[in-house]
Amino acid sequence: MTRERTIASRPLTPRGAATKQRIVEAAAELIYLHGAENVSLDTVMDVTNTSKSQLYHYFANKQALIRDVIDLQTSRIVAANAQSLGALDSFVALRAWGDMIIAAFRAGGGIGGCPIGSLANELATRSEEARLQLRQSFSSWSSVIENGLCRMRQVGQLDADTDVAAMAVAMVAAVQGGIVLAKTSRETRPLELAIDMALAHVKRYAGGVGQELPS
């Protein structure tokens, strides 16, 4: 068994788990602000007041730490979307999801962009392992949207033959593209347009339930 697998399989005490989580959260913030390549383990140690031996007790190398950062950022994205889409049953609720995405971008000052999108831009062509992990991250995100759209289809808000899987992927792609343009221009308008376009596409498949669709 390699050292990395040994560390990954090592049981942690509650205190150890809390320490590891603190390191991952700090590393995630640093990488979000500066990029994975520009954040060294020494920097993480300095910010978290962690010794080298302590850091290597939890992570075999920087790649192992980045894996945990990707997992953390993915869980945050999925949780935020699940909170908005968990009870999705109408276009009003879908519009609220879009507004949540816009509000989150505004809260970040229009600088950082999407955490997993930023990681994908930086790592997908440099690390096959990271690319595959991030592919699963986007898949998890689109699955949350797909589940919400399935619920809309079940209650008659969408046509029975709507391809909700493809629609969910398109919605994630629209959000990612809108965030990149909004981050570059430092204004929310491109993201607002991208989400409006995505929701307009969904409305094309509105079922015959007689509900007025929000603008």
Side-chain angles (χ1 to χ4, degrees), residues 27-57:
E29 181 67 16
L30 288 168
I31 289 172
Y32 183 62
L33 293 173
H34 306 294
E37 178 141 355
N38 297 321
V39 175
S40 67
L41 292 181
D42 287 339
T43 303
V44 175
M45 285 186 281
D46 288 341
V47 169
T48 59
N49 195 27
T50 304
S51 67
K52 189 171 185 178
S53 62
Q54 190 177 23
L55 186 72
Y56 280 98
H57 176 74

Side-chain angles (χ1 to χ4, degrees), residues 138-188:
F138 283 118
S139 178
S140 297
W141 183 358
S142 64
S143 291
V144 173
I145 298 175
E146 180 182 346
N147 290 339
L149 295 174
C150 277
R151 194 170 297 107
M152 289 184 67
R153 188 174 61 185
Q154 289 167 358
V155 298
Q157 292 286 320
L158 294 174
D159 292 337
D161 60 351
T162 303
D163 186 347
V164 292
M167 187 176 284
V169 172
M171 290 170 70
V172 171
V175 169
Q176 286 299 306
I179 287 176
V180 169
L181 291 177
K183 178 181 175 180
T184 304
S185 64
R186 294 286 195 272
E187 59 181 17
T188 59

Side-chain angles (χ1 to χ4, degrees), residues 88-97 149 152 156-159 167 199-207 209 211-215:
L88 184 65
D89 59 2
S90 68
F91 284 93
V92 172
L94 191 61
R95 178 72 256 179
W97 165 81
L149 295 174
M152 289 184 67
Q157 292 286 320
L158 294 174
D159 292 337
M167 187 176 284
L199 298 190
H201 175 70
V202 177
K203 288 179 185 178
R204 292 175 55 197
Y205 296 86
V209 294
Q211 177 180 334
E212 183 179 352
L213 305 181
S215 58

Side-chain angles (χ1 to χ4, degrees), residues 46-101:
D46 288 341
V47 169
T48 59
N49 195 27
T50 304
S51 67
K52 189 171 185 178
S53 62
Q54 190 177 23
L55 186 72
Y56 280 98
H57 176 74
Y58 300 110
F59 308 98
N61 47 44
K62 183 177 178 179
Q63 289 69 34
L65 177 57
I66 289 175
R67 280 199 300 272
D68 278 18
V69 167
I70 294 173
D71 284 342
L72 174 64
Q73 298 290 33
T74 301
S75 68
R76 288 172 170 174
I77 292 289
V78 169
N81 279 260
Q83 185 174 4
S84 291
L85 299 174
L88 184 65
D89 59 2
S90 68
F91 284 93
V92 172
L94 191 61
R95 178 72 256 179
W97 165 81
D99 291 341
M100 180 273 295
I101 297 289

